Amino acid sequence: MWKKIFDWLDERLGLNDIYKNLLDRPEPRGNWWNTLGSASLFLFVLQGLTGIFLTVYYTPSPDHAYDSIQYIMEGVAFGWLIRGIHHWGASLMVIVVFIHMLRVFVTASYKYPRELTWLIGVGLLLATIGMGFTGYLLPWNQRAYWATTVGTQIAGSVPFIGEFILKALRGGPDLSALTLQRFFSGHIWMIPAILAALIGVHLFLIIKHGESHFPTRED
Amino acid sequence: MNDEIKKKINERYERELNRGERFWPDSIFKDLIVSLGIFAILVLLATFVGVAPEPKADPADTSYLPRPEWYFLFLFKFLALYGQIPVIGKIEWLATVLIPGLGIGLLTLLPLLDKSPYRHYSRRIFALTFMGTVILDIVLLTVMASLPVPPDAAELAASTTLQAIGGLWIPAAILTILVLFYAFKRDIYRESTRRSLPIFITVAGSLAMVAMTIYISARAASYPKPEEVEVATTLVDQIVAGQDLYSVHCVECHGDDGSVDVIEGVEGLEGEEITPINSTDVLYTITDSAMYEVIAYGRPNAGMVPFGKAYGGELSRSEIDNIILFMRYTWDDRFEAPEIPALFPPLADGEVPSYEVHIAPIVKRYCISCHRAGKENNDYLMTTYEEILTTGENKDKNIVAGDPNSYLLQVIQGTPIMDPEKPDEEMIGVMPPKGHLKPDALDALIRWIMNGMPETAEDAAKLFVAPTPVQ
Ligand code: HEM
């Protein structure tokens, strides 16, 4: 019975091909350090899921953002858990992505033929940090407000175009409802879209070239 | 890179694959374990550490010390130390744009810059020592940035200098030497006996950086810790916080229960007619945001001063919000108040109250509104334990351990203290001037003074006298 269903699906979806090409690949002898990339991926997915739950109650306006988070923490069943995971997950994701980058650096896995994988990776690192920067403002508390004030100021110190960057980030000369709306949009749509696209290419390249082996004296 | 080398690399990789493992299940198995472990850590962190509460954003409160997310702290520290350098320290964008930009640029172009086909560590001494120094500096700068602020200018100058040496100059020196070797004596990095010189310099420099950071941290251990601000997060806590703030800032004019319609006994506002703020007229017609503005901006024409920080007052956004919550849940009949815990735990027979558990909440609720700096109070301040015992024009008589005639005990029990020189003039009126303390609060204050004013719960517990059973 199961075999029949599987065969029917296999004929149409090519399950066996997928299995052969994606899962049943040879790899160099593995190492625990090589799990950090997939751990980054796991954290990205986890942040996405918990983040989606948070948007059910979160309101991106200076009048309501703080109270809506308060409500998530106190009023919503398991809201504290979802927010707690999202909060700590953000920090952990930065750490894990960073250490993943370090391990790729130390094993020199960015060399031929994986140069592009590294390039995309730098984009991923910057996007991950961008997620942290935009997400930090959303609770609209003192810490968030003042950190973003200083953060955008620093971005505004670029010669010549600093003024423009500052206004583009803040939506005006000061932090306001527009800033919050912008950061929210960046945090839930723009940067995740970029991240997802880059991760897609990153994974494609990894499957194409295979995981590099740990260097020995021969290399 | 020529085709021959590429071919060699690919053949070498084939060989590794042949003696390797399968993606499924070998690699995926490890990945799953690590991801599960991460998930477990996150659930534990969310459950047992939680998210630290913070007060609501208050654009008017410019005294707030900005702190970025922790993974930006190293940049923050770097900027602060860089700003101390003479001349170029003033050119801000060198540090905010050029150096981070250079870092990201190097990172991005790494595969194009590092064209050597070798991957083994022994052939990448330059890359590894360079990166190692940068990473170590990032970690150490993060540590330095999270230390408490030095208490005075001299210590600040000393600490900044030490931090600049450990976090800026030593790493800059290591990196410069490494780059100079690379530029002029590249042989030194090749696999040979001499390759140990760059490693030696990096390790020695790193040890110096770490030692410096430990020394700076040790100095910082004696700095005063920044005060932890408590943030009310549950509704009950917010209402209680609001009531305490109301007691401090509003009671003088509006009374304990908000019912005052003619102000009495307040200098400059004597006889002023006001609308009772516990009335439906006020509560039903003024929305929370309008109420916020009234409290923040005041009613200058009617004599109410601004309380919001934005207008020169003392109260932050969260604090005003809490006062409004207190008003709603106490007087507005459309709101159903949650169970509010007692001001202090009830006292058993023979139990002696302590300052920290019993007296502080009573004083905060009923006395501090007048007995703090800037109010008319015969210089008797009551905001801390020390102040209560040692301030005021009558400090020898206000509180005398074991003396039922202590001024404080007399006035809270309805006996004013007369001026010894003019016997028919009150020197201290009854306290609190309007209304009186609830019997349990009165009892607590009497027991406290009669038993020698213990400060901590521990001290109070030692004074506990088990009641003798009545025969
Ligand atoms: C959201 C962030 C990221 C995700 C989800 C991710 C995902 C992955 C995964 C699943 C792998 C294969 C398993 C492994 O080697 O650990 C991998 C490999 C790799 N990653 Fe990432 N990565 C991220 C960020 C980065 C960054 C920041 C860099 C470098 C700047 C980078 C460069 C590479 C390279 C060069 C490889 C190939 C390593 C090899 O074949 O040995 N990645 N990545």
Side-chain angles (χ1 to χ4, degrees):
Chain A
M1 177 68 196
W2 291 117
K3 173 124 182 50
K4 261 195 180 156
I5 296 179
F6 182 84
D7 287 345
W8 190 88
L9 283 174
D10 184 32
E11 238 175 331
R12 278 140 195 98
L13 292 171
L15 292 181
N16 263 325
D17 292 350
I18 294 180
Y19 173 76
K20 278 217 188 77
N21 290 322
L22 270 185
L23 297 176
D24 194 27
R25 287 180 293 121
E27 292 240 307
R29 198 163 303 157
N31 182 292
W32 287 95
W33 289 105
N34 291 12
T35 59
L36 290 169
S38 63
S40 311
L41 181 63
F42 171 73
L43 279 164
F44 173 72
V45 173
L46 190 66
Q47 291 300 89
L49 290 178
T50 47
I52 288 171
F53 276 115
L54 289 176
T55 61
V56 174
Y57 291 97
Y58 177 77
T59 317
S61 88
D63 284 342
H64 301 292
Y66 185 84
D67 297 334
S68 64
I69 292 209
Q70 192 95 351
Y71 184 67
I72 290 171
M73 293 301 279
E74 303 291 337
V76 181
F78 293 108
W80 58 269
L81 183 62
I82 300 288
R83 171 155 188 249
I85 292 178
H86 198 75
H87 174 93
W88 288 103
S91 286
L92 208 59
M93 182 161 168
V94 172
I95 299 181
V96 170
V97 169
F98 193 77
I99 302 182
H100 168 58
M101 182 199 77
L102 283 183
R103 108 80 183 125
V104 171
F105 180 87
V106 171
T107 60
S109 304
Y110 55 83
K111 296 192 172 183
Y112 171 83
R114 300 184 182 79
E115 296 96 328
L116 261 187
T117 320
W118 172 271
L119 217 71
I120 303 281
V122 174
L124 284 170
L125 179 68
L126 294 180
T128 305
I129 291 175
M131 288 299 281
F133 184 63
T134 48
Y136 203 47
L137 177 67
L138 301 185
W140 202 253
N141 55 32
Q142 282 285 70
R143 202 179 240 281
Y145 183 92
W146 292 104
T148 307
T149 303
V150 174
T152 47
Q153 229 162 32
I154 289 176
S157 68
V158 183
F160 309 116
I161 51 165
E163 187 73 15
F164 171 76
I165 296 180
L166 183 78
K167 284 204 175 138
L169 284 175
R170 291 186 180 176
D174 295 311
L175 253 66
S176 66
L178 273 180
T179 324
L180 183 55
Q181 191 75 41
R182 246 158 234 229
F183 274 52
F184 180 64
S185 166
H187 188 77
I188 74 161
W189 294 121
M190 301 177 200
I191 308 181
I194 294 173
L195 262 174
L198 290 180
I199 289 178
V201 182
H202 202 67
L203 293 183
F204 167 77
L205 289 171
I206 289 153
I207 292 172
K208 170 147 178 57
H209 296 296
E211 182 89 20
S212 68
H213 61 278
F214 261 58
T216 62
R217 284 223 161 246
E218 265 185 79
D219 299 283
Chain B
M1 196 177 286
N2 58 38
D3 289 338
E4 203 169 316
I5 298 180
K6 285 183 186 169
K7 199 165 142 240
K8 245 170 124 182
I9 291 178
N10 288 331
E11 279 169 6
R12 164 102 182 86
Y13 187 58
E14 276 312 313
R15 255 189 296 140
E16 281 295 329
L17 285 185
N18 286 335
R19 52 187 283 272
E21 59 185 30
R22 306 311 281 181
F23 179 59
W24 166 268
D26 304 327
S27 310
I28 294 230
F29 177 67
K30 291 198 197 91
D31 291 345
L32 279 181
I33 290 183
V34 170
S35 294
L36 255 163
I38 284 180
F39 185 69
I41 291 174
L42 287 178
V43 171
L44 290 178
L45 282 171
T47 310
F48 295 106
V49 184
V51 185
E54 266 286 310
K56 197 176 196 166
D58 188 353
D61 183 6
T62 47
S63 65
Y64 191 87
L65 268 189
R67 281 185 81 68
E69 185 75 301
W70 66 266
Y71 42 80
F72 290 123
L73 278 178
F74 79 97
L75 262 182
F76 224 55
K77 189 84 236 174
F78 172 71
L79 291 185
L81 295 177
Y82 166 87
Q84 306 291 320
I85 303 175
V87 193
I88 60 161
K90 297 289 161 295
I91 311 171
E92 204 193 357
W93 61 268
L94 280 181
T96 56
V97 182
L98 194 70
I99 293 181
L102 216 65
I104 294 172
L106 282 178
L107 209 59
T108 315
L109 297 180
L110 178 68
L112 307 180
L113 297 174
D114 179 4
K115 290 216 211 58
S116 117
Y118 300 119
R119 288 184 58 210
H120 192 253
Y121 318 110
S122 61
R123 287 154 147 165
R124 301 179 59 237
I125 305 286
F126 176 64
L128 292 174
T129 46
F130 193 94
M131 188 68 147
T133 308
V134 172
I135 301 297
L136 178 67
D137 196 30
I138 287 181
V139 172
L140 295 183
L141 285 173
T142 307
V143 172
M144 292 179 197
S146 35
L147 298 175
V149 189
D152 54 60
E155 182 58 32
L156 179 69
S159 174
T160 310
T161 311
L162 292 173
Q163 294 184 15
I165 296 174
L168 211 56
W169 295 117
I170 302 181
I174 302 177
L175 294 181
T176 313
I177 296 175
L178 290 178
V179 170
L180 286 180
F181 274 146
Y182 190 77
F184 300 109
K185 270 182 85 67
R186 195 165 306 179
D187 283 349
I188 214 168
Y189 291 108
R190 298 262 153 80
E191 203 169 2
S192 75
T193 44
R194 280 183 306 163
R195 69 150 195 260
S196 50
L197 185 57
I199 297 183
F200 176 78
I201 290 173
T202 309
V203 170
S206 300
L207 287 178
M209 286 160 71
V210 171
M212 206 61 160
T213 310
I214 292 175
Y215 177 58
I216 295 165
S217 309
R219 279 175 86 108
S222 64
Y223 299 167
K225 302 271 169 306
E227 237 178 83
E228 298 251 334
V229 219
E230 268 191 42
V231 185
T233 51
T234 63
L235 182 59
V236 171
D237 286 349
Q238 287 171 323
I239 295 174
V240 171
Q243 180 165 15
D244 283 336
L245 290 164
Y246 179 90
S247 307
V248 173
H249 298 277
C250 321
V251 161
E252 252 188 305
C253 293
H254 291 285
D256 245 359
D257 53 0
S259 66
V260 169
D261 50 6
V262 177
I263 296 180
E264 273 174 41
V266 181
E267 218 183 79
L269 293 170
E270 197 61 49
E272 191 81 35
E273 284 185 26
I274 58 174
T275 321
I277 55 171
N278 66 353
S279 62
T280 37
D281 264 9
V282 167
L283 296 169
Y284 280 26
T285 59
I286 302 184
T287 62
D288 282 357
S289 57
M291 191 86 83
Y292 180 88
E293 293 306 327
V294 171
I295 298 173
Y297 182 62
R299 280 268 160 86
N301 291 333
M304 176 165 164
V305 296
F307 286 92
K309 281 192 172 147
Y311 305 103
E314 291 176 40
L315 299 182
S316 72
R317 218 155 227 287
S318 286
E319 289 173 330
I320 296 180
D321 283 349
N322 289 344
I323 293 179
I324 297 172
L325 277 179
F326 159 70
M327 294 169 64
R328 292 279 180 223
Y329 280 96
T330 318
W331 304 322
D332 191 326
D333 55 18
R334 297 167 301 177
F335 288 73
E336 197 169 323
E339 182 105 18
I340 306 277
L343 189 56
F344 56 89
L347 290 168
D349 276 348
E351 184 180 354
V352 174
S354 68
Y355 173 75
E356 61 178 17
V357 179
H358 306 87
I359 305 303
I362 299 176
V363 169
K364 192 166 170 198
R365 178 72 55 82
Y366 297 104
C367 320
I368 288 181
S369 64
C370 297
H371 289 280
R372 60 198 177 111
K375 299 276 167 178
E376 200 174 308
N377 48 32
N378 288 358
D379 291 332
Y380 186 34
L381 310 182
M382 302 183 75
T383 59
T384 62
Y385 179 73
E386 277 72 32
E387 278 183 4
I388 290 177
L389 297 188
T390 60
T391 64
E393 288 167 14
N394 303 298
K395 51 173 168 277
D396 307 332
K397 307 223 177 84
N398 280 341
I399 295 187
V400 181
D403 181 359
N405 292 324
S406 294
Y407 283 180
L408 189 144
L409 289 186
Q410 293 194 42
V411 295
I412 60 173
Q413 296 180 83
T415 318
I417 307 294
M418 295 304 173
D419 193 332
E421 273 141 43
K422 294 175 237 142
D424 43 304
E425 235 171 73
E426 277 184 17
M427 182 170 70
I428 310 174
V430 296
M431 292 287 158
K434 275 161 285 181
H436 27 95
L437 294 177
K438 300 216 172 60
D440 60 340
L442 210 56
D443 177 48
L445 278 163
I446 296 172
R447 288 201 210 183
W448 186 58
I449 293 180
M450 294 311 288
N451 287 288
M453 296 89 70
E455 180 174 9
T456 62
E458 244 173 35
D459 294 346
K462 287 187 206 129
L463 300 169
F464 184 88
V465 201
T468 18
V470 187
Q471 306 275 298

